[in-house]
Amino acid sequence: MRITRVLGAALLALGLAAGPAAADSSPSPSASDDGKAPTQAGTSFRTATEIEQGQQATASGSTGDYLYWSFPADTGQRPTVKATVKLPETHGSQTWQLDVYDGLRRRQACQYGAQTRTAAQGTSSVELACVLRTVRGWSEPWANDPLPGTYYIRLTVVNLGAADLGLPVNAEVRVDSKDIGGAAAVDGSLAKPLVPGIAVKSAEDEKNGSEPVLSSFGSDDGWSSGWWSDRWVWTGIGAILAALAGIGGYALTRGTGRPSRVPPGV
């Protein structure tokens, strides 16, 4: 009965511990569009329009323009960038491309998604997508791993006829993320996120002794790169399972009867 009670209490603890971990692996909620989503795009990295994850940003431009947006991504997130380009009624064949860069302006590879697509003559729109790798809390200096901070989106046409150059187009961009959690955790964290302006401090900031503003967006509680992840929960679960295995093995091997050979006089 004692072993049964111990097993029951341990299984209950496992259920309570696995609850938060399972919740962490669910997709992160998207921000709702409240009518304040950006309606224009930048023309370079320096003028990229800032958008939040979950916002549906729009912009008008011309074929041949470079359209730039930027968004924040934190440790454990796997961002998905989607773009839709609405083309004029009359046009020739056009090839559009969606590129994503990190805070160091390093082009990030897409795990999957149609990053480049060709719109045939007369096609009304073209849809592009890029699913990035999971953002890591730390990486080797020589590696090209995604790190927490600002990411840039660049949308442009890479192949079209001379007659189509300058035609008006409308673009829609949206970024969503899935929280991967401890499955992608690493032992380490960045001292500062890769955010524009991190090394810039104004004269007023220096006078007041305040820290420079890293960016106009970011998580409310700061950047979450740190020591904690749900990997610790699963490590605890493994320890409990190992302890249960030891208790069960001891109960099975110690025996329950009296010794087969009883000393004389007993």
Side-chain angles (χ1 to χ4, degrees), residues 119-215:
Q121 183 177 0
T123 304
S124 61
S125 65
V126 57
E127 295 183 355
L128 307 167
C130 176
V131 179
L132 297 175
R133 295 171 294 167
T134 303
V135 178
R136 295 161 57 91
W138 180 85
S139 177
E140 294 287 350
W142 46 261
N144 194 34
D145 296 319
L147 295 171
T150 298
Y151 283 77
Y152 296 95
I153 304 169
R154 185 177 73 182
L155 179 65
T156 188
V157 63
V158 293
N159 186 19
L160 80 164
D164 289 340
L165 188 62
L167 291 178
V169 293
N170 294 313
E172 296 179 356
V173 172
R174 183 183 178 94
V175 181
D176 294 291
S177 285
K178 180 178 181 180
D179 289 329
I180 303 302
V186 294
D187 295 328
S189 62
L190 291 180
K192 296 288 184 181
L194 303 180
V195 181
I198 196 167
V200 177
K201 181 182 287 189
S202 65
E204 185 178 353
D205 291 332
E206 293 182 356
K207 181 179 179 181
N208 298 330
S210 60
E211 292 294 328
V213 177
L214 302 184
S215 179

Side-chain angles (χ1 to χ4, degrees), residues 85-88 91-97 116-128 157 159-160 164:
V85 183
K86 297 181 180 179
L87 305 172
H91 65 84
S93 177
Q94 300 181 5
T95 301
W96 287 79
Q97 183 166 304
T116 303
R117 269 190 169 177
T118 299
Q121 183 177 0
T123 304
S124 61
S125 65
V126 57
E127 295 183 355
L128 307 167
V157 63
N159 186 19
L160 80 164
D164 289 340

